[in-house]
């Protein structure tokens, strides 16, 4: 393995381990990465020797190591997203009782960065920090993809089954196109239990200084909490907070178009 290929494989393994605070087993990493067991084990051992991963003796899982924490602390000073987004999450969770989330676009995926639990006792546990979804899947990914340039949307939709992967069955292309159109019209997305039956979500995009959707706020909960008569109220709250963050990040006026 040489150069860019090694970097790509290492980055892929770090992302897989980082999906959960509990990490992932060697067998899971082999299965999810598509690499051979000896290759995965060799790379994991190298990462562990650098402090980027640890092997949890109790669970047998590989977990993120202390060097990742240190690098994340340094990066957070450059990208003060938690400081900016956390108050909005708190307001959303307090006003709605639902769990609120802040996700970032990374390439063709969204990654959940932050969450704030609501007061309603019954919750959906589909989303938590580190969870990744393909763009167009779940409420955050739909909110972001809906406001990408049409050419970029069509590039993703043109190979939709490959892009959506395991989520393709529950997200047929025709349904995704309809959801994107509704999101552009309303300004917020609605995920009617497509990822997990009974678990609903709504999202609104946050725009960067160039006017591109780069992040998203979302709310998740159980289906009875997202009845049609309540969706407009929740959508308005999401868009107001998304607009607030867009302005704080110096977002361009494009973010106002749907508001």
């Amino acid at each position: 393995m040489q150069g860019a290929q090694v970097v790509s494989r290492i980055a892929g393994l770090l992302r897989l381990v980082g999906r959960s605070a509990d990490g992932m087993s060697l067998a899971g990493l082999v299965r999810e990465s598509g690499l051979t067991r000896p290759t995965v084990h060799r790379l994991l051992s190298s990462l562990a020797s650098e402090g980027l991963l640890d092997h949890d003796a109790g669970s047998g899982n590989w977990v993120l190591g202390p060097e990742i924490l240190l690098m994340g602390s340094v990066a957070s000073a450059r990208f003060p997203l938690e400081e900016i987004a956390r108050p909005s999450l708190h307001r959303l969770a307090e006003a709605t009782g639902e769990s609120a989330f802040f996700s970032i676009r990374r390439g063709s995926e969204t990654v959940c960065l932050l969450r704030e639990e609501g007061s309603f006792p019954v919750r959906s546990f589909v989303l938590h920090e580190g969870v990744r979804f393909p763009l167009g899947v779940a409420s955050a990914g739909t909110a972001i993809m809906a406001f990408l340039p049409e050419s970029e949307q069509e590039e993703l939709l043109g190979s939709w089954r490959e892009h959506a992967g395991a989520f393709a069955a529950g997200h047929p292309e025709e349904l995704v196109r309809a959801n994107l159109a509704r999101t552009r019209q309303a300004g917020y997305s609605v995920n009617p239990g497509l990822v997990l039956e009974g678990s609903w979500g709504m999202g609104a995009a946050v725009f960067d200084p160039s006017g591109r959707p780069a992040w998203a706020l979302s709310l998740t909960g159980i289906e009875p909490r997202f009845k049609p008569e309540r969706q407009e109220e929740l959508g308005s709250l999401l868009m107001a907070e998304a607009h607030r963050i867009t302005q704080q990040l110096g977002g361009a006026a494009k973010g106002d178009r749907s508001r």
Side-chain angles (χ1 to χ4, degrees):
M1 295 184 295
Q2 297 296 323
Q5 185 185 46
V6 177
V7 173
S8 177
R9 291 178 173 181
I10 287 174
L13 290 174
L14 288 172
R15 291 190 188 102
L16 289 171
V17 172
R19 284 181 178 176
S20 167
D22 296 327
M24 188 175 286
S25 67
L26 175 61
L29 289 166
V30 171
R31 182 180 63 254
E32 293 288 334
S33 69
L35 301 174
T36 64
R37 189 181 184 93
T39 296
V40 172
H41 189 269
R42 183 166 61 250
L43 291 174
L44 293 175
S45 297
S46 296
L47 289 166
S49 69
E50 298 294 333
L52 296 168
L53 291 181
D54 275 336
H55 186 249
D56 188 305
S59 67
N61 286 353
W62 289 88
V63 296
L64 295 179
E67 285 296 326
I68 295 290
L69 174 63
L70 293 174
M71 288 189 286
S73 298
V74 173
S76 67
R78 184 181 173 211
F79 303 102
L81 291 173
E82 180 166 6
E83 178 182 335
I84 293 173
R86 183 65 73 183
S88 287
L89 293 182
H90 180 74
R91 284 189 292 268
L92 285 169
E94 189 172 63
T96 67
E98 315 303 337
S99 297
F101 303 87
F102 185 68
S103 299
I104 186 172
R105 179 190 176 186
R106 290 289 295 145
S108 60
E109 298 180 310
T110 57
V111 185
C112 179
L113 294 182
L114 304 169
R115 70 174 169 181
E116 181 94 12
E117 299 291 0
S119 59
F120 191 70
V122 182
R123 298 169 183 166
S124 166
F125 294 97
V126 171
L127 194 58
H128 55 79
E129 294 94 330
V131 169
R132 296 170 179 264
F133 287 116
L135 282 177
V137 172
S139 54
T142 301
I144 290 174
M145 185 172 170
F147 292 99
L148 289 175
E150 184 178 351
S151 60
E152 294 184 36
Q153 293 186 40
E154 289 302 325
E155 184 177 351
L156 294 171
L157 291 166
S159 55
W160 179 251
R161 293 193 65 83
E162 292 77 12
H163 168 70
F167 299 100
H171 295 74
E173 182 184 334
E174 315 78 57
L175 180 57
V176 171
R177 286 183 179 275
N179 283 346
L180 293 173
R182 280 194 292 269
T183 301
R184 286 192 295 272
Q185 182 176 14
Y188 57 84
S189 64
V190 178
N191 168 35
L194 299 179
V195 175
L196 179 66
E197 185 177 358
S199 177
W200 281 48
M202 295 179 62
V206 174
F207 297 83
D208 69 15
S210 69
R212 290 178 59 83
W215 307 272
L217 289 170
S218 59
L219 294 167
T220 69
I222 58 174
E223 181 178 356
R225 301 280 291 176
F226 289 81
K227 294 296 186 183
E229 57 270 19
R230 193 176 183 229
Q231 288 177 17
E232 186 173 349
E233 173 194 351
L234 296 177
S236 295
L237 290 170
L238 279 165
M239 288 192 294
E241 293 298 340
H243 181 56
R244 187 194 300 264
I245 296 175
T246 293
Q247 289 185 313
Q248 288 180 284
L249 292 170
K254 185 176 180 180
D256 295 334
R257 188 175 62 185
S258 65
R259 294 164 173 78

